[in-house]
Short mmCIF file of all heavy atoms in Angstrom, two decimals:
data_model
loop_
_atom_site.label_atom_id
_atom_site.label_comp_id
_atom_site.label_asym_id
_atom_site.label_seq_id
_atom_site.Cartn_x
_atom_site.Cartn_y
_atom_site.Cartn_z
N GLN A 1 21.28 14.75 11.50
CA GLN A 1 21.40 15.89 12.41
C GLN A 1 20.76 15.57 13.76
O GLN A 1 19.67 15.03 13.83
CB GLN A 1 20.77 17.14 11.80
CG GLN A 1 21.59 17.71 10.66
CD GLN A 1 21.13 19.08 10.23
OE1 GLN A 1 20.73 19.90 11.05
NE2 GLN A 1 21.19 19.36 8.94
N GLY A 2 21.47 15.91 14.81
CA GLY A 2 20.99 15.63 16.16
C GLY A 2 21.53 14.34 16.73
O GLY A 2 21.41 14.10 17.94
N THR A 3 22.13 13.49 15.88
CA THR A 3 22.73 12.25 16.37
C THR A 3 23.93 12.59 17.26
O THR A 3 24.77 13.40 16.87
CB THR A 3 23.21 11.36 15.20
OG1 THR A 3 22.08 11.05 14.37
CG2 THR A 3 23.83 10.08 15.71
N PRO A 4 24.02 12.02 18.44
CA PRO A 4 25.14 12.36 19.34
C PRO A 4 26.47 11.84 18.83
O PRO A 4 26.53 10.89 18.04
CB PRO A 4 24.75 11.67 20.66
CG PRO A 4 23.86 10.55 20.25
CD PRO A 4 23.08 11.05 19.06
N TYR A 5 27.55 12.48 19.28
CA TYR A 5 28.89 12.05 18.90
C TYR A 5 29.27 10.81 19.69
O TYR A 5 29.01 10.70 20.89
CB TYR A 5 29.91 13.15 19.18
CG TYR A 5 31.32 12.74 18.80
CD1 TYR A 5 31.81 12.96 17.52
CD2 TYR A 5 32.16 12.14 19.74
CE1 TYR A 5 33.09 12.58 17.17
CE2 TYR A 5 33.44 11.75 19.39
CZ TYR A 5 33.90 11.97 18.11
OH TYR A 5 35.18 11.59 17.76
N LEU A 6 29.89 9.85 19.00
CA LEU A 6 30.41 8.65 19.65
C LEU A 6 31.67 8.23 18.91
O LEU A 6 31.62 7.94 17.71
CB LEU A 6 29.37 7.53 19.63
CG LEU A 6 29.84 6.18 20.20
CD1 LEU A 6 30.14 6.31 21.69
CD2 LEU A 6 28.79 5.10 19.95
N PHE A 7 32.80 8.24 19.59
CA PHE A 7 34.05 7.85 18.96
C PHE A 7 33.94 6.43 18.41
O PHE A 7 33.58 5.50 19.14
CB PHE A 7 35.20 7.93 19.96
CG PHE A 7 36.53 7.56 19.36
CD1 PHE A 7 37.20 8.43 18.52
CD2 PHE A 7 37.10 6.32 19.62
CE1 PHE A 7 38.42 8.08 17.95
CE2 PHE A 7 38.32 5.96 19.07
CZ PHE A 7 38.97 6.84 18.23
N GLY A 8 34.21 6.27 17.12
CA GLY A 8 34.10 4.96 16.49
C GLY A 8 32.68 4.60 16.09
O GLY A 8 32.45 3.54 15.50
N GLY A 9 31.71 5.49 16.38
CA GLY A 9 30.31 5.20 16.10
C GLY A 9 29.97 5.24 14.62
O GLY A 9 30.46 6.10 13.88
N THR A 10 29.12 4.33 14.20
CA THR A 10 28.71 4.27 12.80
C THR A 10 27.21 4.01 12.65
O THR A 10 26.76 3.49 11.62
CB THR A 10 29.48 3.15 12.05
OG1 THR A 10 29.27 1.90 12.71
CG2 THR A 10 30.97 3.45 11.99
N THR A 11 26.42 4.36 13.66
CA THR A 11 24.97 4.17 13.59
C THR A 11 24.27 5.43 14.09
O THR A 11 24.91 6.36 14.57
CB THR A 11 24.52 2.98 14.47
OG1 THR A 11 24.64 3.35 15.86
CG2 THR A 11 25.36 1.74 14.20
N ARG A 12 22.94 5.42 14.01
CA ARG A 12 22.16 6.58 14.48
C ARG A 12 22.18 6.70 16.00
O ARG A 12 21.72 7.70 16.54
CB ARG A 12 20.72 6.49 13.96
CG ARG A 12 20.63 6.70 12.45
CD ARG A 12 19.21 6.81 11.97
NE ARG A 12 19.17 6.97 10.52
CZ ARG A 12 19.28 8.14 9.89
NH1 ARG A 12 19.39 9.24 10.61
NH2 ARG A 12 19.25 8.21 8.58
N LEU A 13 22.72 5.72 16.68
CA LEU A 13 22.87 5.81 18.12
C LEU A 13 24.06 6.70 18.48
O LEU A 13 24.13 7.25 19.58
CB LEU A 13 23.05 4.43 18.74
CG LEU A 13 21.86 3.48 18.60
CD1 LEU A 13 22.20 2.12 19.21
CD2 LEU A 13 20.63 4.07 19.29
N GLY A 14 24.99 6.84 17.54
CA GLY A 14 26.18 7.66 17.77
C GLY A 14 27.13 7.58 16.60
O GLY A 14 27.29 6.50 16.00
N LEU A 15 27.74 8.73 16.25
CA LEU A 15 28.63 8.79 15.10
C LEU A 15 29.87 9.62 15.44
O LEU A 15 29.80 10.56 16.23
CB LEU A 15 27.93 9.47 13.92
CG LEU A 15 26.79 8.73 13.21
CD1 LEU A 15 26.04 9.70 12.31
CD2 LEU A 15 27.36 7.59 12.40
N ASP A 16 30.99 9.26 14.81
CA ASP A 16 32.11 10.19 14.83
C ASP A 16 32.16 10.88 13.47
O ASP A 16 31.35 10.60 12.58
CB ASP A 16 33.43 9.49 15.20
CG ASP A 16 33.85 8.41 14.22
OD1 ASP A 16 33.32 8.37 13.08
OD2 ASP A 16 34.72 7.59 14.57
N CYS A 17 33.10 11.82 13.31
CA CYS A 17 33.09 12.68 12.11
C CYS A 17 33.28 11.90 10.81
O CYS A 17 32.55 12.10 9.84
CB CYS A 17 34.14 13.78 12.25
SG CYS A 17 35.83 13.20 12.48
N SER A 18 34.26 11.00 10.79
CA SER A 18 34.51 10.24 9.56
C SER A 18 33.42 9.19 9.33
O SER A 18 33.10 8.85 8.18
CB SER A 18 35.89 9.59 9.60
OG SER A 18 36.04 8.78 10.75
N GLY A 19 32.86 8.68 10.43
CA GLY A 19 31.76 7.72 10.30
C GLY A 19 30.54 8.34 9.65
O GLY A 19 29.85 7.70 8.85
N LEU A 20 30.25 9.60 9.98
CA LEU A 20 29.12 10.31 9.38
C LEU A 20 29.29 10.37 7.87
O LEU A 20 28.35 10.10 7.11
CB LEU A 20 29.02 11.73 9.94
CG LEU A 20 28.08 12.68 9.21
CD1 LEU A 20 26.63 12.21 9.34
CD2 LEU A 20 28.24 14.11 9.72
N LEU A 21 30.49 10.71 7.41
CA LEU A 21 30.71 10.82 5.97
C LEU A 21 30.68 9.46 5.29
O LEU A 21 30.13 9.33 4.18
CB LEU A 21 32.04 11.54 5.69
CG LEU A 21 32.13 12.97 6.20
CD1 LEU A 21 33.37 13.65 5.63
CD2 LEU A 21 30.90 13.77 5.83
N GLN A 22 31.26 8.46 5.92
CA GLN A 22 31.25 7.13 5.32
C GLN A 22 29.82 6.62 5.15
O GLN A 22 29.46 6.07 4.09
CB GLN A 22 32.05 6.15 6.17
CG GLN A 22 32.22 4.79 5.50
CD GLN A 22 32.99 3.82 6.36
OE1 GLN A 22 32.65 3.62 7.53
NE2 GLN A 22 34.02 3.20 5.80
N LEU A 23 28.98 6.83 6.16
CA LEU A 23 27.58 6.40 6.06
C LEU A 23 26.82 7.19 5.01
O LEU A 23 26.04 6.63 4.23
CB LEU A 23 26.89 6.56 7.42
CG LEU A 23 27.17 5.49 8.48
CD1 LEU A 23 26.41 5.83 9.76
CD2 LEU A 23 26.78 4.12 7.98
N SER A 24 27.04 8.51 4.98
CA SER A 24 26.30 9.37 4.05
C SER A 24 26.65 9.06 2.60
O SER A 24 25.76 8.97 1.74
CB SER A 24 26.61 10.84 4.35
OG SER A 24 26.24 11.16 5.68
N PHE A 25 27.93 8.88 2.32
CA PHE A 25 28.33 8.50 0.96
C PHE A 25 27.84 7.09 0.64
O PHE A 25 27.41 6.81 -0.48
CB PHE A 25 29.85 8.58 0.80
CG PHE A 25 30.36 9.95 0.45
CD1 PHE A 25 30.77 10.81 1.45
CD2 PHE A 25 30.42 10.37 -0.88
CE1 PHE A 25 31.25 12.08 1.14
CE2 PHE A 25 30.89 11.64 -1.20
CZ PHE A 25 31.30 12.50 -0.19
N GLY A 26 27.89 6.20 1.65
CA GLY A 26 27.43 4.83 1.43
C GLY A 26 25.97 4.76 1.06
O GLY A 26 25.57 3.96 0.20
N GLU A 27 25.13 5.62 1.67
CA GLU A 27 23.71 5.63 1.33
C GLU A 27 23.46 6.10 -0.10
O GLU A 27 22.42 5.82 -0.67
CB GLU A 27 22.95 6.52 2.32
CG GLU A 27 22.86 5.93 3.72
CD GLU A 27 21.99 6.74 4.66
OE1 GLU A 27 21.16 7.53 4.15
OE2 GLU A 27 22.14 6.59 5.88
N ALA A 28 24.45 6.82 -0.67
CA ALA A 28 24.34 7.26 -2.06
C ALA A 28 25.06 6.30 -3.00
O ALA A 28 25.23 6.59 -4.19
CB ALA A 28 24.93 8.66 -2.20
N GLY A 29 25.51 5.16 -2.46
CA GLY A 29 26.15 4.15 -3.28
C GLY A 29 27.62 4.36 -3.54
O GLY A 29 28.19 3.78 -4.46
#
């Protein structure tokens, strides 16, 4: 929460909507 939006982003520097879910599920294996 609070991470800025970035098209194509997949890090805490910036995320897009699908990237957020891919990272979140990935952290849960």
Side-chain angles (χ1 to χ4, degrees):
Q1 287 192 37
T3 300
Y5 180 89
L6 176 64
F7 181 75
T10 57
T11 72
R12 291 188 181 274
L13 295 178
L15 290 167
D16 61 17
C17 59
S18 55
L20 168 66
L21 298 191
Q22 187 181 52
L23 282 179
S24 300
F25 275 93
E27 290 186 20

